[in-house]
Short mmCIF file of all heavy atoms in Angstrom, two decimals:
data_model
loop_
_atom_site.label_atom_id
_atom_site.label_comp_id
_atom_site.label_asym_id
_atom_site.label_seq_id
_atom_site.Cartn_x
_atom_site.Cartn_y
_atom_site.Cartn_z
N GLN C 440 -27.65 76.97 -6.78
CA GLN C 440 -28.47 75.77 -6.76
C GLN C 440 -28.29 75.01 -5.43
O GLN C 440 -29.24 74.54 -4.83
CB GLN C 440 -28.12 74.86 -7.95
CG GLN C 440 -28.92 73.55 -8.00
CD GLN C 440 -30.42 73.79 -8.10
OE1 GLN C 440 -30.88 74.56 -8.94
NE2 GLN C 440 -31.20 73.17 -7.22
N GLU C 441 -27.04 74.95 -4.98
CA GLU C 441 -26.77 74.24 -3.72
C GLU C 441 -27.40 74.96 -2.53
O GLU C 441 -27.91 74.32 -1.61
CB GLU C 441 -25.25 74.08 -3.54
CG GLU C 441 -24.68 73.03 -4.49
CD GLU C 441 -23.16 72.97 -4.50
OE1 GLU C 441 -22.50 74.01 -4.22
OE2 GLU C 441 -22.62 71.90 -4.82
N ILE C 442 -27.37 76.29 -2.57
CA ILE C 442 -28.02 77.06 -1.49
C ILE C 442 -29.52 76.77 -1.50
O ILE C 442 -30.13 76.53 -0.45
CB ILE C 442 -27.71 78.57 -1.65
CG1 ILE C 442 -26.24 78.82 -1.29
CG2 ILE C 442 -28.63 79.41 -0.76
CD1 ILE C 442 -25.73 80.21 -1.61
N ALA C 443 -30.10 76.72 -2.70
CA ALA C 443 -31.53 76.42 -2.81
C ALA C 443 -31.83 75.01 -2.29
O ALA C 443 -32.85 74.79 -1.62
CB ALA C 443 -31.99 76.56 -4.26
N ASP C 444 -30.95 74.06 -2.57
CA ASP C 444 -31.15 72.69 -2.08
C ASP C 444 -31.07 72.63 -0.56
O ASP C 444 -31.85 71.93 0.09
CB ASP C 444 -30.09 71.75 -2.69
CG ASP C 444 -30.35 71.49 -4.17
OD1 ASP C 444 -31.47 71.76 -4.63
OD2 ASP C 444 -29.42 71.02 -4.85
N LEU C 445 -30.12 73.37 0.01
CA LEU C 445 -30.01 73.39 1.48
C LEU C 445 -31.28 73.98 2.11
O LEU C 445 -31.77 73.47 3.12
CB LEU C 445 -28.79 74.20 1.91
CG LEU C 445 -27.49 73.40 2.02
CD1 LEU C 445 -26.30 74.34 2.16
CD2 LEU C 445 -27.53 72.43 3.20
N VAL C 446 -31.80 75.04 1.49
CA VAL C 446 -33.03 75.65 2.01
C VAL C 446 -34.19 74.65 1.90
O VAL C 446 -34.98 74.50 2.84
CB VAL C 446 -33.34 76.97 1.28
CG1 VAL C 446 -34.73 77.49 1.65
CG2 VAL C 446 -32.29 78.03 1.60
N ALA C 447 -34.25 73.93 0.78
CA ALA C 447 -35.30 72.93 0.61
C ALA C 447 -35.19 71.87 1.70
O ALA C 447 -36.20 71.43 2.27
CB ALA C 447 -35.19 72.27 -0.77
N PHE C 448 -33.96 71.48 2.01
CA PHE C 448 -33.76 70.50 3.09
C PHE C 448 -34.27 71.05 4.42
O PHE C 448 -35.01 70.38 5.15
CB PHE C 448 -32.28 70.12 3.20
CG PHE C 448 -31.97 69.36 4.45
CD1 PHE C 448 -32.45 68.06 4.61
CD2 PHE C 448 -31.25 69.93 5.49
CE1 PHE C 448 -32.20 67.36 5.78
CE2 PHE C 448 -31.00 69.24 6.66
CZ PHE C 448 -31.48 67.95 6.80
N LEU C 449 -33.89 72.29 4.74
CA LEU C 449 -34.31 72.89 6.02
C LEU C 449 -35.84 72.95 6.12
O LEU C 449 -36.41 72.74 7.19
CB LEU C 449 -33.70 74.28 6.19
CG LEU C 449 -32.18 74.30 6.36
CD1 LEU C 449 -31.64 75.72 6.29
CD2 LEU C 449 -31.78 73.64 7.68
N LYS C 450 -36.48 73.23 4.97
CA LYS C 450 -37.94 73.32 4.99
C LYS C 450 -38.60 71.95 5.16
O LYS C 450 -39.76 71.87 5.54
CB LYS C 450 -38.43 73.99 3.70
CG LYS C 450 -38.15 75.49 3.70
CD LYS C 450 -38.70 76.18 2.47
CE LYS C 450 -38.48 77.69 2.59
NZ LYS C 450 -38.72 78.38 1.31
N SER C 451 -37.86 70.89 4.89
CA SER C 451 -38.43 69.54 5.04
C SER C 451 -38.43 69.08 6.49
O SER C 451 -38.87 67.99 6.82
CB SER C 451 -37.65 68.53 4.20
OG SER C 451 -36.46 68.14 4.87
N LEU C 452 -37.91 69.93 7.39
CA LEU C 452 -37.79 69.53 8.81
C LEU C 452 -39.01 69.91 9.64
O LEU C 452 -39.01 69.76 10.85
CB LEU C 452 -36.54 70.18 9.42
CG LEU C 452 -35.20 69.84 8.77
CD1 LEU C 452 -34.07 70.61 9.43
CD2 LEU C 452 -34.93 68.35 8.85
N THR C 453 -40.02 70.48 8.97
CA THR C 453 -41.19 70.94 9.72
C THR C 453 -42.27 69.86 9.80
O THR C 453 -42.70 69.34 8.77
CB THR C 453 -41.74 72.23 9.08
OG1 THR C 453 -40.73 73.23 9.17
CG2 THR C 453 -42.99 72.71 9.81
N GLY C 454 -42.65 69.55 11.02
CA GLY C 454 -43.67 68.52 11.24
C GLY C 454 -44.76 69.00 12.17
O GLY C 454 -44.74 70.15 12.64
N ARG C 455 -45.72 68.14 12.40
CA ARG C 455 -46.84 68.42 13.28
C ARG C 455 -46.38 68.27 14.73
O ARG C 455 -45.58 67.39 15.04
CB ARG C 455 -47.93 67.40 12.96
CG ARG C 455 -49.31 67.66 13.46
CD ARG C 455 -50.32 66.67 12.86
NE ARG C 455 -49.76 65.36 12.50
CZ ARG C 455 -49.55 64.36 13.33
NH1 ARG C 455 -49.82 64.49 14.61
NH2 ARG C 455 -49.05 63.20 12.91
N ILE C 456 -46.85 69.14 15.61
CA ILE C 456 -46.49 69.04 17.03
C ILE C 456 -47.40 68.02 17.69
O ILE C 456 -48.61 68.03 17.48
CB ILE C 456 -46.67 70.40 17.75
CG1 ILE C 456 -45.78 71.47 17.14
CG2 ILE C 456 -46.42 70.28 19.25
CD1 ILE C 456 -44.31 71.26 17.27
N GLY C 457 -46.83 67.17 18.47
CA GLY C 457 -47.66 66.24 19.23
C GLY C 457 -47.12 64.84 19.23
O GLY C 457 -45.93 64.63 19.15
N GLY C 458 -48.01 63.90 19.32
CA GLY C 458 -47.60 62.51 19.43
C GLY C 458 -47.49 62.12 20.89
O GLY C 458 -47.63 62.95 21.79
N LYS C 459 -47.27 60.83 21.09
CA LYS C 459 -47.12 60.37 22.47
C LYS C 459 -45.73 60.79 22.93
O LYS C 459 -44.78 60.69 22.22
CB LYS C 459 -47.17 58.85 22.54
CG LYS C 459 -48.53 58.26 22.23
CD LYS C 459 -48.49 56.78 22.50
CE LYS C 459 -47.46 56.10 21.61
NZ LYS C 459 -47.18 54.73 21.96
N ASN C 460 -45.64 61.29 24.13
CA ASN C 460 -44.32 61.53 24.68
C ASN C 460 -44.41 61.43 26.19
O ASN C 460 -44.38 62.42 26.89
CB ASN C 460 -43.74 62.87 24.24
CG ASN C 460 -44.82 63.86 23.94
OD1 ASN C 460 -45.65 64.10 24.81
ND2 ASN C 460 -44.83 64.41 22.76
N LYS C 461 -44.54 60.22 26.63
CA LYS C 461 -44.78 60.00 28.05
C LYS C 461 -43.65 59.21 28.70
O LYS C 461 -43.77 58.81 29.84
CB LYS C 461 -46.10 59.23 28.20
CG LYS C 461 -47.27 60.03 27.68
CD LYS C 461 -48.54 59.22 27.69
CE LYS C 461 -49.65 60.05 27.05
NZ LYS C 461 -50.84 59.26 26.82
N THR C 462 -42.59 59.02 27.95
CA THR C 462 -41.52 58.19 28.49
C THR C 462 -40.83 58.90 29.65
O THR C 462 -40.45 60.05 29.55
CB THR C 462 -40.46 57.92 27.40
OG1 THR C 462 -41.17 57.60 26.22
CG2 THR C 462 -39.55 56.78 27.79
N THR C 463 -40.68 58.19 30.72
CA THR C 463 -39.93 58.70 31.85
C THR C 463 -38.70 57.83 32.00
O THR C 463 -38.77 56.63 31.75
CB THR C 463 -40.80 58.66 33.12
OG1 THR C 463 -41.91 59.53 32.91
CG2 THR C 463 -40.03 59.12 34.34
#
Side-chain angles (χ1 to χ4, degrees):
Chain C
Q440 179 60 50
E441 287 172 332
I442 289 170
D444 288 343
L445 271 168
V446 171
F448 168 69
L449 293 171
K450 287 183 175 168
S451 80
L452 300 177
T453 298
R455 195 170 28 82
I456 299 295
K459 291 187 299 169
N460 28 55
K461 297 174 184 170
T462 316
T463 296

